[in-house]
Amino acid sequence: MPQITVDHSAPLDRRGFALALHPLVVTTVDTALDACKTRFREVDEAVVGDGSTGDALVHVEIALLFGRTDAVKARLSKAVLDLLPRFLGTTEGVRLSVEIRDLEPSYRKR
């Protein structure tokens, strides 16, 4: 925990983003740095709206153990949205989104 997944069709400095994101998550939700795990899934094709704009996307999902308030989750999602543009070649035509959610009670790690 936290489990972080980044889906992207826009060019993204993945390693740089993860290395900047992890300390941000640690300070915002009070967790350990070595608990942060990020995986990236490059999307070959994405269609936004009617497909006429050719927009790309980056969606970040951060799953946390239960117990963080909605205010903390909102603060983290805003901070992640503010961080993302630094690691994109351009933000022109790129749709950015972030979701912070609770892990299911069945979550286990080893």
Side-chain angles (χ1 to χ4, degrees):
M1 191 288 306
Q3 295 290 330
I4 305 165
T5 305
V6 181
D7 294 307
H8 65 97
S9 65
L12 175 66
D13 173 4
R14 295 181 294 199
R15 183 171 179 79
F17 177 64
L19 291 174
L21 177 63
H22 292 176
L24 177 68
V25 171
V26 166
T27 59
T28 306
V29 302
D30 189 28
T31 190
L33 186 61
D34 66 347
C36 295
K37 295 171 268 333
T38 298
R39 63 186 172 277
F40 294 90
R41 299 185 296 204
E42 190 166 1
V43 177
D44 291 331
E45 183 175 2
V47 178
V48 176
D50 66 4
S52 64
T53 61
D55 287 354
L57 60 88
V58 179
H59 177 73
V60 179
E61 179 183 287
I62 303 175
L64 305 168
L65 290 174
F66 177 79
R68 275 48 178 224
T69 66
D70 288 342
V72 167
K73 292 175 190 175
R75 190 166 64 245
L76 179 57
S77 64
K78 180 181 180 333
V80 173
L81 275 177
D82 291 344
L83 179 68
L84 261 172
R86 291 182 22 209
F87 300 92
L88 292 166
T90 181
T91 56
E92 183 74 28
V94 180
R95 307 286 183 106
L96 305 177
S97 59
V98 178
E99 177 185 5
I100 313 298
R101 65 174 186 82
D102 292 332
L103 287 162
E104 293 296 320
S106 62
Y107 173 78
R108 299 293 182 269
K109 67 178 184 175
R110 197 168 114 168

